[in-house]
Amino acid sequence: MSEIRMALADLTPGRPTLVQTEGTRVVLVRVGDHVHALGDVCAHRGGPLSAGKLSGMRLACPWHGWMYDVRTGQCVFPGRGGAVPSYPVHVEDDEVRVEVS
Ligand code: FES
């Protein structure tokens, strides 16, 4: 397991942010003062979710539009299954910690 640490202030609400740790690409999404962390690689054909668009709690892949719930990583695109990894996030004071396993 590895850990990502960064300042909450470095995450812009509504703008997905790509971070990498030990070869794993993780997209961080800040909604208000909550932060969610998902695998960045789309379950369809590997599109970069960090380049996608956030609508409410849904992050859409920029390649073909599959959508994921940022709280769970579950694909919510109609008629599609699958998921991307969802990682635990802890926010304390102004520090964000993500456990990537
Ligand atoms: S690669 Fe993400 S929707 Fe196709």
Side-chain angles (χ1 to χ4, degrees):
M1 189 181 85
S2 60
E3 189 175 69
I4 295 166
R5 286 175 181 256
M6 63 190 305
L8 180 63
D10 289 340
L11 295 172
T12 303
R15 191 171 77 199
T17 300
L18 174 66
V19 291
Q20 300 199 50
T21 178
E22 295 180 8
T24 302
R25 287 164 37 196
V26 176
V27 56
L28 301 181
V29 176
R30 178 176 174 181
V31 180
D33 282 341
H34 295 277
V35 177
H36 305 278
L38 302 178
D40 185 55
V41 181
C42 179
H44 180 216
R45 291 190 186 163
L49 297 183
S50 53
K53 188 171 179 204
L54 185 70
S55 304
M57 289 294 185
R58 293 177 171 195
L59 179 59
C61 177
W63 285 7
H64 314 99
W66 282 29
M67 293 172 288
Y68 296 88
D69 188 316
V70 297
R71 296 164 292 192
T72 63
Q74 283 294 316
C75 180
V76 292
F77 194 70
R80 308 293 180 183
V84 293
S86 173
Y87 302 108
V89 178
H90 308 280
V91 180
E92 237 177 86
D93 298 326
D94 188 41
E95 185 181 64
V96 178
R97 288 186 300 116
V98 184
E99 296 171 22
V100 180
S101 53

